Every structure is written in structure tokens, then in C-alpha cells.
């Protein structure tokens, strides 16, 4: 029986292989056979870790969650709009790593929409994300950066929608949406929320 | 040998079955076996239509294109922002049919990102879509509805991103994003582009 250290090293190897398959081929290409080939192992070994396709998909989503939670984030700038801007920049595919991460999440939407459990998990993830953006928008209103009449939940939802849509367009057309244009579009979006300071 | 009419009726049956599988299970659930079961036919019959998985996916995307192109659209209102609004409302999942259509498109992103040909096709689709939105934004600038300093391509890209992101959030959380909230968010987004007329 191998030592515990071997088990954990093997588990990490499996996770790395799952991630590489996902980033290259998406959920449609995520099979036990593809993961086995990627790590030069037998499909039999993989069935030990993943007794079903659903278990493999669940592990892939766990990995995406873990990598999202542990990725480096921008330093917290001033509260309000600067903090909202930083949080949205953290989501955009401005670097190859961020593009790979987004490619996995965008790819996950197909399987998630097909399975009520996964769809609820995704719905809750995006609800939590909006919940983390909310204090920044509330602070922006309190600081007078946004109109006092702003509906905080609607501004949060619009900013989240804008960022996710830009992710999709940038993934499909990176030449037309390089990092500097994504950033400029985000800045224009945020400026549009604050008419008082917007140049005409 | 069956008459031509039989062939065409059978072809329509196949396409209907492909669409129902897609709408329910996405591209991850689109297999010859699932389509065969859906239409109570043999997998062998289906291989006649689709010699490969890639052929099946290509047909699914053709169907989505065809249904998108032939769906009922809103009447053309006044040029400029009202026309842009109508074009974006035509995309949002405001009805069950529009939600099913969007579910298929969002689901297609996973397979499209995994295949250079399909990714290029998707990139060109969204480029064309932005090209169809562009005259509305240009007219809005010409009519003074948007600032003369507006970058027309950026406004088009932002509006497209906002709409697609809202599609994703509404698909995952229809209770939180009913049709009236989607419409109100779109109206707020469009109003934010026009600071001169925006109430403080």
C-alpha cells in the first residue's frame, strides 16, 4: 500500500490533468479517457477517483471553484467605485491564466444548465458574487460617486452582467478585445453610472 | 425507396428531435443515442444523417442559426436608441421560447471554444451581430441621443456584452431576473449612455 504522500501526489496529478483537459477541450471533451491519456495512466485508475461522469464533472467544478478562490487578486484600492472596478478587473480575461479560468467557467454553463443541482450551484455562485460586489456599490452611493437614487441591486446586477458578457466576447475574439480595450470598456461602463463627472 | 416528401418529413423530425435534446440537455447531452431515443428511432438511422459527432454538432448549430434567423422580431421602432433597445430585447430571454434559444446558444460556447472552426464561426456571428447593432448606435449619435464624443464601436460592444451577460444571469436565476426586471435593467443601461436626459 503506498504511503499517504503518494496518494496525495497522485490526487494532485489527477486534478492537474483534469484542469488541462478542461482548459483545452472544455466540458464536452472531459472524459475519463481524455484525463487518463493526459496523465499517461489507465482509464481504470481514473474510475477509482471518478466512479461516474457526474463525479468527474463535480470534481472539475470543485477545481474551478478552488482555483478561482485562490487566484491572486488586485490589492483593495479605495472603497466605492475603485473597489468595484478592481473586483470586475479580477474577473475579466486580461491574462492567459484569467482567460483559461474563464474558458472553464463559460464552458461549465452547458453542463450546469442541463442539471438542476449544478444549475442551483451556479445560480448560488453568481448570487454570492453579486453579494460581494454589493458593498462596493453601496459605498459608491454613500460616497456620492453614484446618484443617491441608484437601485443598488440593479447596479450590481448590471455590472456583473456587463463583465460576464465581456468575458464571453473577449474569449471568442481576443484580437478585437485585448486587455487594454476590455479595461477601457469597463472604465466607460463605470463612468456611465456617474453622469455628474462624465465629460460631454 | 421512399418519396421525396417522406425524406423531407423525416429530416424535419430529426431536426426537431435534435432541438428538443439540445434545449433539455445541452451540447453535453447531445448524442446520436439521445436523438434516436427522442424520436423513437434506431441509432443506425441517425448515423445516416450524422456520420460523426462533429456533424451532429454542426447540424445543431445550423438549427440554432436557422431558428435565430427566422424567429419573430419586434417591429422596427424609431431609429437610434429605440431601435437599439428593440434589437437587444429581441435577444433577452423574456419568453420561454427565447430562453430555450438562449440556453442552446450559451450551451454552444463550450463546444465552440474547444474547436477552432466553431470558435471562428461564433466569433464571426457575434461580429455580425455587433455590425447589425452599429447603425442604431450611429443613428443615436447623429440624432443627439448619445454624446457626439461616443466611440460607436465601444458603445456597440458594451451593449452587446451587457445583453449577453444578462442572458446568462437570467438563465441561471429566472426568479431573480424576470422579464420586467431584465427590461428595466436594459432601460437603465441605455439611460446611462445618455446622461443629458438622465434624472438625478
Amino acid at each position: 500500500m503506498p504511503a499517504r504522500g503518494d496518494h496525495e501526489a497522485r490526487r494532485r496529478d489527477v486534478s492537474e490533468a483534469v484542469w488541462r483537459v478542461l482548459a483545452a477541450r472544455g466540458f464536452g471533451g472531459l472524459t475519463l479517457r481524455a484525463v487518463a491519456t493526459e496523465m499517461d495512466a489507465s482509464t481504470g485508475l481514473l474510475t477509482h477517483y471518478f466512479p461516474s461522469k457526474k463525479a468527474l464533472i463535480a470534481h472539475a467544478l470543485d477545481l474551478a471553484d478552488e482555483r478561482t478562490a485562490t487566484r491572486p487578486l488586485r490589492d483593495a484600492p479605495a472603497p466605492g467605485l475603485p473597489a468595484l472596478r478592481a473586483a470586475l478587473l479580477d474577473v475579466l480575461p486580461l491574462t492567459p491564466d484569467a482567460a483559461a479560468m474563464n474558458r472553464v467557467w463559460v464552458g461549465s454553463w452547458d453542463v450546469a444548465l442541463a442539471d438542476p443541482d449544478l444549475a442551483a450551484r451556479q445560480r448560488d455562485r453568481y448570487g454570492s458574487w453579486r453579494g460581494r460586489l454589493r458593498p462596493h456599490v453601496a459605498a459608491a452611493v454613500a460616497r456620492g460617486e453614484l446618484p443617491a437614487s441608484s437601485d443598488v441591486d440593479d447596479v450590481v446586477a448590471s455590472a456583473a452582467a456587463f463583465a460576464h458578457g465581456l468575458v464571453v466576447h473577449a474569449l471568442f475574439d481576443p484580437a478585437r478585445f485585448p486587455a487594454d480595450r476590455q479595461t477601457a470598456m469597463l472604465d466607460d461602463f463605470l463612468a456611465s453610472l456617474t453622469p455628474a463627472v462624465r465629460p460631454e
Side-chain angles (χ1 to χ4, degrees), chain A:
Chain A
M1 189 180 167
R4 171 169 293 276
D6 290 348
H7 270 309
E8 283 171 6
R10 175 53 63 97
R11 185 172 285 275
R12 269 198 306 277
D13 289 347
V14 170
S15 292
E16 288 291 336
V18 167
W19 190 258
R20 287 195 302 274
V21 170
L22 271 184
R25 297 191 235 169
F27 283 78
L30 181 64
T31 61
L32 289 182
R33 182 186 299 258
V35 176
T37 302
E38 180 70 31
M39 61 186 296
D40 210 10
S42 69
T43 307
L45 172 83
L46 270 296
T47 57
H48 172 71
Y49 291 94
F50 310 115
S52 66
K53 180 69 186 270
K54 186 156 178 168
L56 178 58
I57 290 174
H59 180 70
L61 292 171
D62 287 344
L63 272 182
D65 265 336
E66 187 187 307
R67 289 185 176 234
T68 300
T70 59
R71 77 195 194 284
L73 298 178
R74 281 163 182 76
D75 285 334
L81 283 187
L84 178 65
R85 177 179 188 268
L88 295 174
L89 285 175
D90 280 335
V91 167
L92 295 178
L94 303 177
T95 65
D97 278 356
M101 178 81 81
N102 273 300
R103 187 266 173 269
V104 171
W105 280 121
V106 170
S108 77
W109 294 339
D110 182 57
V111 291
L113 287 167
D115 180 301
D117 294 340
L118 298 180
R121 177 175 166 169
Q122 203 81 310
R123 179 197 66 208
D124 293 347
R125 279 192 79 247
Y126 294 136
S128 298
W129 180 47
R130 290 192 301 268
R132 290 195 301 279
L133 298 178
R134 198 179 194 288
H136 305 319
V137 174
V141 173
R143 296 161 67 88
E145 295 169 342
L146 294 182
S149 61
S150 303
D151 180 310
V152 172
D153 287 320
D154 277 355
V155 173
V156 167
S158 290
F162 172 79
H164 271 162
L166 184 51
V167 164
V168 172
H169 287 235
L171 286 182
F172 278 110
D173 207 342
R176 204 175 296 267
F177 295 98
D180 57 350
R181 187 177 185 206
Q182 293 181 53
T183 305
M185 284 174 61
L186 174 60
D187 283 334
D188 283 348
F189 174 81
L190 294 173
S192 76
L193 301 174
T194 60
V197 299
R198 196 166 112 148
E200 273 299 302

